[in-house]
Amino acid sequence: MPKVTDTISYPQPTDRRLECERALEEDFQVFTSLAEGAGWSWQEIALALMELTEDYVMAMSTSTKIAESNTAPFPGNKTLH
């Protein structure tokens, strides 16, 4: 089973993005090699990964919006002082 590196040492967002890429890179290479070995072309793999990434982004965005709406104060709710 692949293991994504869980060490995060850079506090800056750009550094974290690069560190995340490095953490995923080895498993990504294994994953794409397995897909190529199963007969998929690199173009098919790339398109499938882009679609899956888009689905992931949409799901996470929706999940975040739902979570934020559940924690928002009730409209018209006023504190009496």
Side-chain angles (χ1 to χ4, degrees):
M1 177 98 188
K3 180 168 184 337
V4 175
T5 305
D6 60 356
T7 304
I8 299 172
S9 57
Y10 297 105
Q12 298 301 318
T14 54
D15 294 335
R16 287 179 55 87
R17 182 188 57 78
L18 292 173
E19 190 167 355
C20 183
E21 286 180 23
R22 281 193 298 272
L24 296 172
E25 185 174 14
E26 184 177 337
D27 290 336
F28 178 81
Q29 293 297 329
V30 170
F31 183 66
T32 54
S33 292
L34 288 170
E36 289 171 353
W40 301 103
S41 71
W42 71 265
Q43 295 94 334
E44 292 168 319
I45 296 165
L47 288 172
L49 290 171
M50 288 189 299
E51 289 292 329
L52 290 169
T53 300
E54 184 178 344
D55 292 346
Y56 176 75
V57 168
M58 294 301 291
M60 292 299 103
S61 177
T62 300
S63 176
T64 300
K65 287 177 185 175
I66 290 170
E68 288 172 354
S69 70
N70 288 338
T71 60
F74 184 78
N77 188 10
K78 297 182 180 179
T79 305
L80 299 175
H81 289 277

